[in-house]
Amino acid sequence: MSQESENNAKAYWKANLRLVMICLVIWFVVSYLFGIMLVEPLNEIRVGGYKLGFWFAQQGSIYTFVALVFFYAWRMNALDRKFGVEED
């Protein structure tokens, strides 16, 4: 493996890990912090008649997870094209 392709592979892996970490942090904040740790303060806010903390615990974390799956796929496709490893 040439030095250039090795550097390219390392850069690709670093970008991939960064994207995964961003997604995991967002998921953690929404599901654990908003849905469990901060549920009481968030319950003071009502959205559509429902307490916001309850909504995050029951629906928000699921919606966020699904959105993160699509976001990850979209960003990984862009990274694949950038580093020339896209699939047909």
Side-chain angles (χ1 to χ4, degrees):
M1 184 181 267
S2 72
Q3 183 68 26
E4 183 180 338
S5 65
E6 187 175 324
N7 288 341
N8 195 35
K10 285 181 181 180
Y12 175 75
W13 185 242
K14 184 177 178 180
N16 185 6
L17 288 179
R18 183 175 182 271
L19 179 60
V20 169
M21 288 306 298
I22 289 169
C23 290
L24 286 175
V25 166
I26 292 169
W27 190 26
F28 172 80
V29 167
V30 170
S31 64
Y32 186 73
L33 291 181
F34 290 173
I36 298 172
M37 301 301 293
L38 299 174
V39 71
E40 293 302 324
L42 288 173
N43 277 339
E44 300 298 320
I45 303 168
R46 291 191 173 267
V47 175
Y50 296 101
K51 296 176 181 179
L52 188 59
F54 174 79
W55 184 83
F56 270 113
Q58 299 302 314
Q59 300 295 324
S61 59
I62 296 168
Y63 290 150
T64 301
F65 177 71
V66 170
L68 283 173
V69 167
F70 286 105
F71 173 76
Y72 177 78
W74 172 66
R75 289 299 301 145
M76 278 307 298
N77 284 335
L79 278 177
D80 288 350
R81 282 190 301 276
K82 179 180 177 183
F83 288 96
V85 293
E86 69 271 10
E87 297 176 6
D88 291 332

